[in-house]
Amino acid sequence: GLCDELRGYHVRLSQKNLGRTQSREKNGQMSIVDDFRQMSDEIGGDIEHRARVLAEDGTHFSGAGYEELGTYLDFTLDIHRDTVAAMQERDVAKARLVRKRKDEGEDHEHSLRDSHLERLDAGLAESIETSTAHMDMLTGYRQMGRHHFRICRLLEDFLNVPD
């Protein structure tokens, strides 16, 4: 697939005499490709599988659970869009802004987990039936966010070239 093609391209590049800056950028790009591959695996594997199983079982999240997952997905998609923009524009400032949202994402996730546990404690049937899926989806979104934060750190590293 695409990752294999990019790796082949980078192998061909590595056979050329690259300067320190170019070499550092090439290595950063390989790491970024790997992070995107891992995110794709998480979406295509864990999150998509969990959603399919729920749909096949006819199980639904509680209204509050569904809404909360949506807010965390929205946060994750915002981070994704901003990460892609930072990459496309080679913009270190945008990459830094994404990384500054890391604590916000972690705080948001913790509050959503606490809220879910409160619904479980209250005995809400829908929350009990979907508890594992709910927590797995939060974890999947968190992992995707971590990849974006790592990508932005890599961008900062290879775009901030010392003079």
Side-chain angles (χ1 to χ4, degrees):
L2 178 61
C3 287
D4 293 333
E5 289 178 36
L6 287 169
R7 281 194 179 98
Y9 169 73
H10 281 283
V11 166
R12 288 189 303 279
L13 267 182
S14 69
Q15 295 168 347
K16 298 180 186 241
N17 190 14
L18 299 178
R20 181 175 174 227
T21 300
Q22 291 171 316
S23 180
R24 195 166 95 188
E25 183 167 344
K26 177 188 64 98
N27 289 333
Q29 289 172 347
M30 285 301 298
S31 294
I32 288 170
V33 167
D34 191 51
D35 275 302
F36 275 115
R37 182 194 55 76
Q38 289 178 34
M39 278 190 282
S40 175
D41 290 348
E42 288 162 6
I43 294 168
D46 300 338
I47 294 173
E48 187 270 336
H49 170 75
R50 187 57 71 187
R52 188 175 351 100
V53 168
L54 287 175
E56 289 170 358
D57 290 347
T59 307
H60 303 283
F61 291 110
S62 67
Y66 182 80
E67 184 178 318
E68 288 174 359
L69 285 170
T71 65
Y72 201 44
L73 175 60
D74 289 344
F75 173 83
T76 304
L77 292 173
D78 284 345
I79 293 296
H80 175 75
R81 280 188 286 274
D82 293 343
T83 299
V84 170
M87 290 174 56
Q88 289 175 331
E89 298 166 23
R90 300 178 62 81
D91 189 328
V92 174
K94 282 187 181 180
R96 280 191 191 115
L97 288 175
V98 169
R99 290 195 52 210
K100 287 182 179 181
R101 296 189 69 193
K102 184 176 183 215
D103 289 342
E104 174 190 352
E106 289 178 0
D107 291 346
H108 191 110
E109 180 204 0
H110 290 300
S111 102
L112 296 179
R113 286 184 185 276
D114 290 345
S115 180
H116 177 70
L117 293 174
E118 288 171 12
R119 287 191 299 279
L120 286 177
D121 288 344
L124 186 61
E126 291 167 319
S127 293
I128 294 167
E129 293 171 1
T130 62
S131 185
T132 301
H134 188 96
M135 295 303 222
D136 286 351
M137 292 178 90
L138 286 175
T139 299
Y141 294 152
R142 178 189 67 218
Q143 288 302 105
M144 290 176 4
R146 286 181 176 171
H147 287 294
H148 287 103
F149 299 133
R150 179 178 139 77
I151 288 167
C152 285
R153 183 185 51 78
L154 289 165
L155 285 171
E156 285 181 72
D157 288 348
F158 72 72
L159 293 176
N160 264 331
V161 180
D163 295 328

